[in-house]
Amino acid sequence: MRHTLPHAPQFYVTAPQPCPYLHGRAERKLFTALQGDNAADLNDALSRQGFRRSQNVLYRPSCESCVACMSARIRVADFKPSRTQRRVQSRNGAIRRLATSAWATEEQFELFRRYLDSRHADGGMADMDIFEFAAMVEETPVKTRVIEYRCNGDDLSQIIAGDDHLAAVCLTDVLDDGLSLVYSFYDPILRPASLGTYIILDHIEIARAAGLPYVYLGYWVPGSRKMDYKARFDALEIYKGGVWQDIGNPGAHSNEAHPLSVDPIVEQVARIALPQFDR
């Protein structure tokens, strides 16, 4: 079904699919195309309203009776790492960061496949081939960077051997108010190094150096073990009830479904604040 505002992008709703986060639930997404000269402005504006980018599409959960998925971001200026996170930073101090343009390589794809086979063998990306992977990385109409993390055997000699080992990769959008982690993956053999946490910590430092106030982490879902790690970061905000607010006590947020919890799609679209588009 199509929903349109005058002189603005058209919004659509997906058919319900099994929820990847909460067993027995069905997910539905509100989405719009991301293209043309206004793509960056639209990505910035909708990211501030809980949307996420996937290639040339912006989407936000709009499930029929569930509002459990909440966009999450870290306030860079207020963030203070925990003792455990400081240990992660120290443990990975020899890792080198390399930021490149949004260009996929066979080396990245091989790492991506090892990661999926180990961590998400039954997930929605499990059957992705190298062409689909390249599309995920390269089909972006906005400012996107591929950030590689590399190490040598000497750095983690008990786990890997050889030099210039590709340890992790993050596909990152540069917004006007922060960095958005679109997708990240790492070598499963390096799981003890907590590279998923390290990637977020490093992005906080990148944003701090660039004077950007936020690091967007995607969605947090109370009660989902896949998402628990996000609530461990200090200065975390969630987009709930149409506003950004401090997460407070994560246990105080419910994932209960209710038939009146979601407004009609037309009302949701009418409340979306859009940048000014040329007529």
Side-chain angles (χ1 to χ4, degrees):
M1 184 178 297
R2 184 178 69 187
H3 300 272
T4 309
L5 291 175
H7 311 294
Q10 297 175 341
F11 288 84
Y12 304 84
V13 182
T14 64
Q17 299 288 334
C19 177
Y21 305 119
L22 298 174
H23 180 70
R25 302 276 180 93
E27 72 166 358
R28 188 180 66 172
K29 295 186 178 80
L30 176 68
F31 70 97
T32 188
L34 185 63
Q35 57 190 5
D37 295 338
N38 297 309
D41 291 338
L42 186 63
N43 193 35
D44 292 336
L46 267 60
S47 294
R48 290 192 289 271
Q49 298 170 75
F51 281 77
R52 296 282 291 165
R53 184 184 71 82
S54 177
Q55 295 175 234
N56 58 357
V57 168
L58 287 170
Y59 69 91
R60 185 174 72 183
S62 181
C63 305
E64 293 181 343
S65 60
C66 178
V67 291
C69 291
M70 293 171 276
S71 189
R73 68 185 186 186
I74 296 169
R75 296 189 307 274
V76 172
D78 297 331
F79 174 78
K80 295 181 177 59
S82 66
R83 182 186 307 176
T84 299
Q85 290 164 350
R86 289 196 297 271
R87 286 199 294 265
V88 170
Q89 288 175 314
S90 177
R91 185 186 309 144
N92 294 293
I95 286 182
R96 303 182 307 282
R97 179 208 306 144
L98 175 64
T100 69
S101 59
W103 185 257
T105 67
E106 291 187 12
E107 183 184 28
Q108 293 166 7
F109 177 69
E110 291 171 1
L111 176 61
F112 175 73
R113 287 300 336 162
R114 292 200 304 275
Y115 173 79
L116 288 184
D117 292 344
S118 173
R119 302 278 292 168
H120 303 287
D122 57 349
M125 293 182 170
D127 296 328
M128 282 183 66
D129 59 27
I130 191 168
F131 301 105
E132 293 167 321
F133 173 77
M136 180 181 75
V137 173
E138 298 173 9
E139 289 185 8
T140 170
V142 298
K143 186 176 181 180
T144 302
R145 295 291 181 268
V146 173
I147 301 182
E148 295 184 346
Y149 295 91
R150 294 181 172 273
C151 60
N152 295 332
D154 293 340
D155 303 333
L156 296 167
S157 57
Q158 295 179 342
I159 303 176
I160 65 170
D163 295 333
D164 201 34
H165 181 84
L166 182 61
V169 175
C170 187
L171 184 64
T172 304
D173 282 353
V174 183
L175 308 177
D176 63 351
D177 69 345
L179 301 177
S180 177
L181 282 68
V182 177
Y183 194 78
S184 63
F185 51 96
Y186 57 85
D187 192 336
I189 201 172
L190 298 175
R191 186 173 182 180
S194 301
L195 288 175
T197 295
Y198 179 75
I199 289 170
I200 295 174
L201 294 171
D202 188 60
H203 275 69
I204 293 171
E205 294 309 310
I206 296 172
R208 195 190 307 276
L212 296 171
Y214 300 109
V215 171
Y216 289 81
L217 301 182
Y219 294 108
W220 175 71
V221 184
S224 171
R225 293 182 60 187
K226 294 180 181 179
M227 298 295 182
D228 281 349
Y229 72 95
K230 296 181 183 180
R232 301 188 192 114
F233 283 85
D234 183 49
L236 189 73
E237 296 181 348
I238 54 173
Y239 191 75
K240 184 177 182 179
V243 296
W244 288 99
Q245 56 187 269
D246 192 276
I247 190 172
N249 175 14
H253 299 279
S254 171
N255 62 24
E256 294 298 318
H258 189 278
L260 301 181
S261 61
V262 180
D263 293 328
I265 295 295
V266 172
E267 293 183 17
Q268 293 182 44
V269 172
R271 288 197 296 268
I272 294 172
L274 295 168
Q276 295 295 316
F277 293 100
D278 295 332
R279 298 192 176 187

